[in-house]
Amino acid sequence: MGLELNLNSMYICVKDMDRAIDFYQKFLDQEVSERDEIFSIFNFEHNRLCLFNPAKVNEKHTWGNNCLPSFQVNDINLLIEKIHELGAPIGFPLTKIGESLVLEFQDTEGNDIEIYCKHD
């Protein structure tokens, strides 16, 4: 039997856990599942989005695009409205790439987040 790998979670680094949790609760329309000053978790059906504050464990971190979470949505226009309501800056404007409409915005911690929607 060969090696099997399954991705069940990913985390992004944050500078202010409370601010990041507030942003992601509003963005995801769900409450944080597990909350801690070091590591907090949002549960999905098969995956988890985790927020990690490296300063709380004295871990050095280089800020930038270390991880690019990519969310698929069913209505890109509703998502764009939500991004504007959150005051999140769009860093990569809505662009048709292949069969998808894609854009990127920044969360409150400076992380880029990709959103895409299948487009005929």
Side-chain angles (χ1 to χ4, degrees), residues 18-36:
D18 290 333
R19 179 178 64 196
I21 288 172
D22 182 59
F23 178 86
Y24 279 97
Q25 286 182 145
K26 291 175 183 172
F27 172 63
L28 299 171
D29 286 328
Q30 75 178 60
E31 294 293 314
V32 66
S33 304
E34 298 176 38
R35 182 184 195 122
D36 185 271

Side-chain angles (χ1 to χ4, degrees), residues 12 61-69 104-107 109-114:
I12 55 177
H61 178 75
T62 302
W63 294 96
N65 293 323
N66 297 310
C67 178
L68 182 66
E104 291 178 15
F105 69 94
Q106 282 191 343
D107 71 5
E109 308 307 295
N111 297 302
D112 288 339
I113 308 296
E114 178 185 77

